[in-house]
Amino acid sequence: MRILLIEDDTKIGEFVSRGLREAGHVCDMLSDGQDGLFHAIRETYDVYVIDRMLPGLDGLSIVRSMRAAGVKTPALFLSAIAGIDDRVEGLEAGADDYLVKPFAFSELLARVNALARRPPAISEKTLLQVADLTMDVMKRRVTRAGVEIELQPREFTLLEVLARNEGRVVTRTMLLERVWDFHFDPKTSVVETHISRLRGKIDKPFDVPLLHTIRNTGYSLHAPR
């Protein structure tokens, strides 16, 4: 694999990059956030490993900018910030995994390999239609009744999961796994909060609601029946 490591701690950076190369991967290392974002968008990599606290541009901003630019390459945060809210914030920004410092290199390598094994989404439909709502996944564009709707990266992913399951119930657990990559219950209202924000953008300005709450079960995106 070709891996981009953005880490300003020289000792950690050299340790990780050496380990990745010994494991047979190609690893480019940068220490500045601005340079890291430039390479992340302009170059092709299989996985990004990004420190949260960086000079020039912090890791959260890098990942948000990557996702806004349509870069779907898996990203793993390395961080000494270990709180649950901090991890949630990192994943909500668009990261696929979060590893707290200090860490075992064997665990980092296993997580990087797991991210790289994820099947690519390029074989999926890139133009989704639910009633008068249209999603262009490649262009990251959403319109309803011809009106363009601005969504944050996580809101876009949430809507995409619902649209790909048009008419079917998507449970809270499924959303935690597919949108936030949580395989546990974080005990927060992150799903409900994002559903409320999404509903405010795709439903409230229009006459007919498309996003429906299925009580005690989950959510469904579909035209009125």
Side-chain angles (χ1 to χ4, degrees):
M1 290 185 294
R2 190 178 182 209
I3 300 167
L4 177 62
L5 171 64
I6 311 175
E7 169 63 70
D8 66 327
D9 186 310
T10 303
K11 288 185 178 179
I12 292 177
E14 290 178 351
F15 172 74
V16 170
S17 60
R18 183 174 62 250
L20 291 172
R21 292 183 186 116
E22 288 174 350
H25 304 303
V26 175
C27 180
D28 295 335
M29 188 179 82
L30 297 169
S31 59
D32 180 80
Q34 290 284 4
D35 291 341
L37 176 60
F38 178 82
H39 279 76
I41 293 177
R42 293 292 297 273
E43 304 289 334
T44 300
Y45 292 93
D46 297 294
V47 177
Y48 302 110
V49 179
I50 305 172
D51 185 15
R52 272 195 60 166
M53 305 301 292
L54 292 164
L57 193 68
D58 66 273
L60 290 175
S61 299
I62 292 174
V63 173
R64 288 191 184 110
S65 298
M66 284 166 39
R67 299 310 184 218
V71 178
K72 294 187 176 182
T73 303
L76 179 150
F77 269 132
L78 282 180
S79 180
I81 307 174
I84 291 177
D85 289 342
D86 299 303
R87 281 178 279 170
V88 170
E89 184 181 27
L91 294 166
E92 284 187 346
D96 300 272
D97 202 353
Y98 197 108
L99 185 59
V100 176
K101 299 175 182 178
F103 57 89
F105 177 76
S106 58
E107 181 179 4
L108 170 63
L109 181 61
R111 291 184 182 224
V112 166
N113 289 336
L115 289 177
R117 286 196 300 268
R118 291 185 179 180
I122 55 175
S123 61
E124 297 181 324
K125 289 172 58 179
T126 60
L127 190 63
L128 308 175
Q129 183 89 37
V130 179
D132 59 350
L133 178 74
T134 303
M135 289 191 76
D136 188 324
V137 177
M138 294 300 292
K139 294 182 179 178
R140 309 293 289 180
R141 186 169 182 261
V142 177
T143 61
R144 183 168 182 193
V147 178
E148 188 156 358
I149 300 171
E150 294 291 334
L151 297 180
Q152 295 297 315
R154 192 68 67 174
E155 295 168 349
F156 189 95
T157 304
L158 176 58
L159 180 60
E160 182 181 350
V161 171
L162 292 166
R164 291 191 185 281
N165 290 275
E166 178 186 1
R168 295 191 289 268
V169 177
V170 183
T171 67
R172 182 176 183 275
T173 298
M174 291 166 64
L175 290 175
L176 284 170
E177 289 182 344
R178 297 182 189 181
V179 180
W180 286 270
D181 198 28
F182 284 173
H183 299 280
F184 61 93
D185 189 342
K187 305 298 182 183
T188 69
S189 59
V190 62
V191 174
E192 293 77 9
T193 298
H194 279 73
I195 286 288
S196 177
R197 291 175 185 168
L198 185 60
R199 181 175 279 130
K201 293 182 178 182
I202 69 167
D203 271 353
K204 288 187 178 178
F206 303 92
D207 295 331
V208 178
L210 298 178
L211 180 51
H212 306 272
T213 299
I214 313 302
R215 189 171 181 179
N216 297 325
T217 306
Y219 305 92
S220 178
L221 189 73
H222 59 79
R225 296 167 179 169

